[in-house]
Amino acid sequence: MRLKTKLLTCVCLFFSIIGCQTFHYDPSQRTDSYLMPMVKEGSIYQAITPLLEDKAPDQSAFHLLDDGLSAFVARAVLIDQAQHSLDLQYYIFRQDVSGKILIAKLIQAAERGVRVRILLDDIGSALDNRWLATFNHHPNIELRVFNPVRGRSGLSRALQQAGTFSQTNRRMHNKLLVADSMIAITGGRNIGDQYFSNTHVDFQDLDVLAIGEIVKPSHQYFDDYWNHVLSVPIDLLIELDSEKSFSQLSSLTNQYLQDAKNSEFINALKQSNFLTQLRQGRLDLSWGNAYVYADPPDKALTEVEIGFEEMLGSKIGQVLANGQQRLLITSAYFVPTSAGMEFLQKQLKQGVEISILTNALSTTDVSAVHSKYRYYREPLIKAGAKLWELRSSAKQTKRQKWFRSRSQASLHAKTFVIDQDKSIVGSANFDPRSIKINTEMAILIVSASLNQKLARIFENLTTPESAWKLELDEDEDLSWHAIDKEQQPLVYDKEPETSWWMRFKVWLVSILPIEDQI
């Protein structure tokens, strides 16, 4: 008994010591900075100004990026064309093919005098690469890390994450790129090959490119995060390699671009007419009023209490509650909780048609989420909602235009289509983590044109070729319905494309009391 007591005391003491090792620094060690005023020159200004000339000051324009390669091309073109400033905020920034190409282009932008600010989440991006830290040496580039852990790798990092779980569990899930303070991209995509359609997992995702009035408040939210106490300069976290100075960045840039010269990304960029379409006013734009919703960065501080009314989830909830006709929900992770179920059931009783698309067990990348979502399927269908789960074969034809190999589709988009004129596109899922734990960002767009485009995307993703429709049979048991390649009906009474072992593991996880963490 004494030995057990001593061991327990040692464990508690160890984790209390680890818990004291959250990263603290003096904010005076860094210099705050803010968005740069719009400069009336450069190719982006020349392309955008004619589009805004005959529009009301409160109008913004939006272009949907529902294809992975198009989303990559848009980012690469904006980085190439920026003349004054580039601000990027991401949960994940991988150093794979697409990530390295964009890193190289960011370095090129800095070399021609563009101010580059990059804010990345520490857990999502795992910044332990010396090169990524080294390019912070460039006088025109600054990299900051949001809510970092002091340990940078290995056991030390894992233990400190465990010991400071209440703080490190809160992540910056926002996604935003702003070029020359005039044009922005936001939505569901991180930076990495799988978000741009080039891995064995093909994320079905969606961003919007925005110009006009909406860009400034989006940019101001970036500044709120950039200048927050939890945003730490990378050189305070990682000891920079003295042998790799910024004088070597040009060779790094050449190496990255040379390695990728035959990639689908570079080929798509060469063949793209994105910039020409933008300059000539031929880009497919939807106009309307828009509003930015973003969690305050203080949401990531355990010692600060944020009222729910200040959070993104509350603001989205108010918009959805005002819907009267239809609500199309696309959410990679869908765990409505009892409160969300009560809200959806109320809307259904009031005559709102609700359709939901999320991942199947065979397509989700987080099975723990599926273990909790599964309990809401039958009640939703009984209440009158229509429910679909993405198939692993979704949108393969479109992907194979560029990529020879097949991949497994997985849903990553987060959108709401409300009635006939309102849409929400952002980073937030319909789950407890997005609402209560992570920081998120979204844009409410009041535009009948964009609403209809998103509705068509939803319809395409919920065809029998792309998604399983869930129904209740005569015994009120779940069944999954789709069609095969010969257009013949497919009906399953168990999770399609899964093994008994996969289903058993999900059931086992479902026993754990973790719903409020996923």
Side-chain angles (χ1 to χ4, degrees):
M1 181 63 70
R2 287 182 179 178
L3 179 59
K4 289 182 178 179
T5 302
K6 288 181 179 180
L7 284 172
L8 181 60
T9 302
C10 288
V11 170
C12 291
L13 179 61
F14 173 77
F15 278 103
S16 68
I17 293 171
I18 291 296
C20 293
Q21 294 184 12
T22 46
F23 192 87
H24 296 285
Y25 76 108
D26 181 357
S28 66
Q29 294 176 275
R30 67 176 199 196
T31 302
D32 288 349
S33 60
Y34 300 89
L35 64 90
M36 296 179 67
M38 183 180 69
V39 179
K40 297 181 179 181
E41 62 180 17
S43 58
I44 292 177
Y45 175 81
Q46 293 169 0
I48 290 175
T49 302
L51 300 175
L52 300 172
E53 284 179 347
D54 60 345
K55 300 295 181 181
D58 61 348
Q59 292 283 290
S60 298
F62 298 91
H63 174 69
L64 289 177
L65 300 168
D66 66 321
D67 171 72
L69 270 176
S70 299
F72 167 81
V73 167
R75 287 167 169 83
V77 168
L78 293 187
I79 294 171
D80 279 342
Q81 298 301 316
Q83 297 296 313
H84 310 288
S85 65
L86 285 163
D87 292 321
L88 292 83
Q89 179 181 16
Y90 283 98
Y91 174 61
I92 292 173
F93 195 129
R94 293 213 166 96
Q95 293 178 76
D96 47 19
V97 178
S98 60
K100 286 182 176 180
I101 293 172
L102 295 182
I103 287 173
K105 290 184 174 296
L106 288 167
I107 294 170
Q108 289 178 331
E111 285 291 296
R112 62 178 183 266
V114 178
R115 186 191 70 175
V116 179
R117 297 187 296 175
I118 305 171
L119 179 60
L120 303 179
D121 183 81
D122 189 36
I123 302 301
S125 293
L127 299 167
D128 58 357
N129 183 285
R130 299 295 185 186
W131 269 120
L132 193 56
T134 300
F135 85 75
N136 190 63
H137 271 313
H138 196 288
N140 290 330
I141 303 177
E142 187 174 1
L143 172 63
R144 292 185 182 179
V145 182
F146 192 81
N147 193 15
V149 180
R150 183 176 293 277
R152 301 315 304 160
S153 61
L155 182 61
S156 170
R157 183 173 175 83
L159 290 175
Q160 287 178 32
Q161 283 182 243
T164 60
F165 178 77
S166 61
Q167 179 63 57
T168 57
N169 187 40
R170 298 169 182 249
R171 306 318 316 169
M172 182 191 76
H173 199 238
N174 313 39
K175 289 95 176 173
L176 179 68
L177 183 153
V178 184
D180 281 354
S181 302
M182 287 183 283
I183 188 166
I185 296 175
T186 190
R189 286 188 179 90
N190 294 293
I191 303 298
D193 290 357
Q194 64 197 121
Y195 302 98
F196 302 131
S197 304
N198 190 25
T199 62
H200 67 284
V201 176
D202 181 15
F203 277 141
Q204 305 301 305
D205 216 328
L206 190 138
D207 299 311
V208 288
L209 180 145
I211 63 174
E213 180 67 19
I214 196 64
V215 176
K216 187 174 182 179
S218 303
H219 210 176
Q220 287 171 334
Y221 273 115
F222 175 91
D223 281 353
D224 290 344
Y225 279 82
W226 181 258
N227 296 314
H228 193 264
V229 66
L230 286 177
S231 296
V232 182
I234 187 68
D235 53 4
L236 298 181
L237 287 168
I238 298 177
E239 184 179 351
L240 301 181
D241 193 334
S242 60
E243 295 182 0
K244 293 176 179 175
S245 66
F246 70 81
S247 62
Q248 296 174 274
L249 287 179
S250 59
S251 61
L252 172 67
T253 301
N254 293 334
Q255 175 192 325
Y256 280 177
L257 294 177
Q258 180 66 23
D259 291 345
K261 68 177 182 179
N262 296 320
S263 71
E264 291 84 355
F265 295 116
I266 294 297
N267 290 334
L269 193 56
K270 289 177 180 177
Q271 296 182 34
S272 170
N273 59 354
F274 173 82
L275 183 61
T276 301
Q277 287 181 317
L278 182 62
R279 283 175 172 168
Q280 296 179 355
R282 294 190 292 108
L283 203 62
D284 185 15
L285 296 175
S286 296
W287 291 86
N289 295 325
Y291 309 88
V292 181
Y293 297 150
D295 284 312
D298 276 353
K299 184 182 178 184
L301 285 169
T302 54
E303 63 268 27
V304 176
E305 286 193 18
I306 302 295
F308 182 64
E309 68 279 358
E310 297 181 55
M311 295 185 188
L312 171 144
S314 172
K315 296 169 184 175
I316 289 180
Q318 292 173 29
V319 176
L320 301 187
N322 289 326
Q324 299 179 349
Q325 300 166 335
R326 70 173 179 183
L327 172 59
L328 311 180
I329 301 173
T330 303
S331 183
Y333 312 127
F334 185 77
V335 183
T337 73
S338 58
M341 278 296 299
E342 183 179 344
F343 168 79
L344 293 172
Q345 289 168 339
K346 180 180 178 181
Q347 292 297 97
L348 287 162
K349 288 179 181 178
Q350 292 177 350
V352 178
E353 296 182 2
I354 298 179
S355 300
I356 301 161
L357 172 65
T358 189
N359 274 304
L361 176 55
S362 62
T363 57
T364 185
D365 63 332
V366 184
S367 57
V369 173
H370 194 87
S371 74
K372 297 301 179 181
Y373 148 72
R374 62 200 287 267
Y375 290 114
Y376 294 99
R377 296 184 293 199
E378 290 182 31
L380 279 167
I381 296 172
K382 287 180 179 178
K386 297 178 181 178
L387 182 61
W388 285 270
E389 295 176 355
L390 192 76
R391 295 178 65 177
S392 61
S393 57
K395 297 182 77 172
Q396 282 297 304
T397 302
K398 188 172 183 179
R399 182 183 186 275
Q400 288 181 347
K401 173 185 175 183
W402 289 96
F403 303 101
R404 296 173 186 170
S405 62
R406 293 187 65 83
S407 68
Q408 174 176 303
S410 181
L411 188 68
H412 198 258
K414 309 98 169 46
T415 65
F416 300 88
V417 180
I418 307 107
D419 294 342
Q420 306 300 318
D421 63 341
K422 291 181 286 295
S423 309
I424 296 174
V425 178
S427 66
N429 291 290
F430 201 122
D431 65 4
R433 174 160 286 277
S434 288
I435 303 303
K436 299 178 180 179
I437 301 173
N438 289 344
T439 69
E440 307 283 359
M441 176 179 177
I443 296 180
L444 167 64
I445 304 164
V446 183
S447 165
S449 170
L450 190 87
N451 178 287
Q452 295 308 309
K453 290 172 185 176
L454 284 171
R456 285 195 293 271
I457 290 172
F458 186 93
E459 291 169 4
N460 289 336
L461 283 173
T462 54
T463 61
E465 295 88 354
S466 294
W468 302 100
K469 186 176 184 183
L470 277 70
E471 298 180 3
L472 296 178
D473 61 23
E474 58 186 15
D475 297 320
E476 294 198 337
D477 293 325
L478 278 176
S479 57
W480 286 258
H481 299 256
I483 58 174
D484 63 17
K485 293 180 180 178
E486 283 71 41
Q487 304 295 302
Q488 296 301 308
L490 289 173
V491 182
Y492 288 86
D493 60 3
K494 294 183 177 62
E495 307 261 10
E497 303 174 312
T498 64
S499 65
W500 71 268
W501 177 240
M502 185 184 297
R503 296 191 294 273
F504 173 74
K505 287 190 293 183
V506 167
W507 172 83
L508 201 60
V509 173
S510 71
I511 299 173
L512 301 175
I514 58 173
E515 180 170 296
D516 61 345
Q517 296 295 316
I518 58 178

